[in-house]
Amino acid sequence: MTSPKRKFPLTRMRRNRMKSFSRRLISENSFSVDDIIWPVFIIEGTKTKEKIDAMPNVYRYSIDKLIIELEGLISLGLNSIALFPNIASDLKDNDGSLALDSNNLICRAIKSIKNEFPSLGIISDIALDPFTSHGHDGVVVDGIVHNDLTLKKLDEQALIYANAGCDILAPSDMMDGRVESIRNILEKNNFENTLIMSYAAKYASSFYGPFRNAISSEKLTKPENKDSYQLDYANSNEAMHEIAIDIAEGADMIMVKPGLPYLDIVSRAKDQFGIPTFVYQVSGEYSMLTSAIENGFLNKKESIFESMLCFKRSGADGIFTYFAPYLLKELA
Ligand code: PBG
């Protein structure tokens, strides 16, 4: 950008801002239903819509309830969802075995939803954490999340989810080599059109706290945190390195997570790679905004829409947000 030679009063920046029509004309970014991905929690059973303590107005739905909910939201323009399962603790184990069962909650949900709404895009995490007793995204051996053993499980999980009809597989585990490994298994099994959106720059963040409450995996045991695989929030070059590798390994889309505190990463990623870039407004961001809104400290509509426009301004092509149902109603 060239530095302006004309100065006040020849130039008055406020002239463009003075009226609503000219503010609309000069607006550089916009937000629409096409930008929204709804992350949604599912649970076993029927006719169930369960509250989540750490996330006001967010629920765990049984599959039948979710289908009813989706019908209304699709009529408002909902285009894609991301599914997250809440698994009973007695079904979890060290290896996350249930993740590899083609009749598990996620696979049944994918099939039922695809059956009802064939054109709705379905995204599913490839990671073991909802299914492991220790809450980690991989297999734990001698207190370490074992990279290569985990890859084998992720390949299998990816294959059964693709087979169930999942459109976008989203590896969220941060193991090394997982995108290539999953891409190869898909190619070998005639799933060459299944998309991979890698959680390429996923930080070890405290803002995931409420999500772990939602999927009942808040107590991490041995190791007590995810620092050995998720990114250090002090780093940004390392995130670019991760993203470059995931693209080379065959990712179609990449994601940065969390969202608002990490817009510098979104912006760098989009500038550097220019590929479809997504951002996840995570559970902690949702709960912070919601608490302030419920206390009357923030205006609901203005603060939520501002956060969306900030994502778009930073370069995001789409946003995972728990505000999706609210946004769809407001945009209608
Ligand atoms: C699991 C996963 C997490 C989130 C999405 N997938 C949590 C974690 O890595 O511990 C967080 C989403 C949110 O906080 O809303 N791999």
Side-chain angles (χ1 to χ4, degrees):
M1 196 174 289
T2 51
S3 64
K5 295 213 170 57
R6 288 191 304 156
K7 288 193 301 210
F8 176 84
L10 298 175
T11 296
R12 286 180 185 268
M13 293 303 284
R14 291 186 57 201
R15 271 187 221 119
N16 281 337
R17 297 180 199 141
M18 203 53 76
K19 292 184 178 173
S20 159
F21 88 88
S22 55
R23 286 195 294 272
R24 283 168 61 192
L25 282 175
I26 66 164
S27 160
E28 297 175 34
N29 291 286
S30 63
F31 170 71
S32 81
V33 292
D34 294 345
D35 301 316
I36 298 176
I37 297 164
W38 184 31
V40 59
F41 299 104
I42 52 176
I43 193 162
E44 291 289 358
T46 52
K47 298 197 176 82
T48 308
K49 179 176 172 180
E50 208 174 80
K51 285 192 167 145
I52 296 167
D53 294 340
M55 301 181 76
N57 309 318
V58 173
Y59 303 90
R60 303 181 190 102
Y61 298 91
S62 56
I63 297 173
D64 57 332
K65 266 277 187 202
L66 178 59
I67 284 178
I68 296 167
E69 200 77 20
L70 283 174
E71 189 156 14
L73 296 176
I74 290 169
S75 73
L76 299 176
L78 177 66
N79 184 40
S80 46
I81 58 170
L83 293 172
F84 296 97
N86 178 292
I87 302 296
S89 59
D90 59 334
L91 296 177
K92 300 184 183 189
D93 61 22
N94 181 64
D95 290 4
S97 313
L98 191 60
L100 313 185
D101 180 339
S102 60
N103 199 35
N104 70 17
L105 177 60
I106 285 281
C107 293
R108 278 181 279 122
I110 294 170
K111 284 181 198 152
S112 309
I113 296 166
K114 273 284 158 194
N115 197 34
E116 291 288 330
F117 313 110
S119 55
L120 181 73
I122 301 184
I123 303 171
S124 187
D125 257 33
I126 300 300
L128 302 180
D129 58 302
F131 307 96
T132 55
S133 44
H134 41 68
H136 284 288
D137 295 34
V139 178
V140 176
V141 180
D142 298 331
I144 288 175
V145 179
H146 197 293
N147 196 85
D148 299 11
L149 284 179
T150 300
L151 291 187
K152 292 201 174 67
K153 309 264 177 202
L154 297 177
D155 285 354
E156 243 183 281
Q157 186 184 23
L159 202 52
I160 65 162
Y161 286 13
N163 202 35
C166 188
D167 298 291
I168 304 184
L169 304 175
S172 72
D173 54 290
M174 293 297 280
M175 296 301 117
D176 286 317
R178 89 268 212 225
V179 174
E180 181 170 17
S181 185
I182 292 169
R183 180 55 80 206
N184 283 335
I185 202 101
L186 292 175
E187 285 289 324
K188 270 190 210 124
N189 289 277
N190 303 319
F191 289 112
E192 69 275 9
N193 290 321
T194 300
L195 293 157
I196 298 179
M197 179 196 291
S198 76
Y199 285 67
K202 177 170 181 180
Y203 284 85
S205 173
S206 56
F207 293 109
Y208 308 150
F211 173 96
R212 292 186 191 156
N213 169 246
I215 66 161
S216 309
S217 79
E218 54 251 90
K219 263 238 224 74
L220 292 173
T221 46
K222 279 183 264 164
E224 271 78 30
N225 59 49
K226 300 192 176 183
D227 294 356
S228 81
Y229 46 107
Q230 298 179 345
L231 283 161
D232 180 347
Y233 46 74
N235 300 348
S236 117
N237 290 329
E238 192 186 1
M240 297 308 112
H241 193 175
E242 279 281 3
I243 294 167
I245 290 170
D246 283 5
I247 295 171
E249 290 185 8
D252 304 289
M253 306 162 157
I254 57 121
M255 192 214 293
V256 173
K257 178 173 172 225
L260 283 187
Y262 293 73
L263 292 187
D264 58 322
I265 308 298
V266 179
S267 168
R268 265 191 89 175
K270 193 56 188 278
D271 282 353
Q272 196 161 325
F273 304 106
I275 82 161
T277 301
F278 293 82
V279 64
Y280 200 138
Q281 183 177 48
V282 299
S283 56
E285 299 174 64
Y286 171 85
S287 295
M288 282 199 300
L289 276 167
T290 300
S291 310
I293 290 163
E294 291 196 341
N295 275 297
F297 301 147
L298 285 177
N299 175 290
K300 181 171 186 178
K301 188 171 174 186
E302 285 167 11
S303 59
I304 294 171
F305 274 88
E306 181 177 339
S307 70
M308 294 302 133
L309 254 302
C310 293
F311 288 125
K312 292 299 303 280
R313 193 193 63 233
S314 73
D317 295 293
I319 302 142
F320 288 70
T321 177
Y322 300 100
F323 291 117
Y326 170 78
L327 288 163
L328 288 161
K329 284 169 200 150
E330 285 294 327
L331 287 167

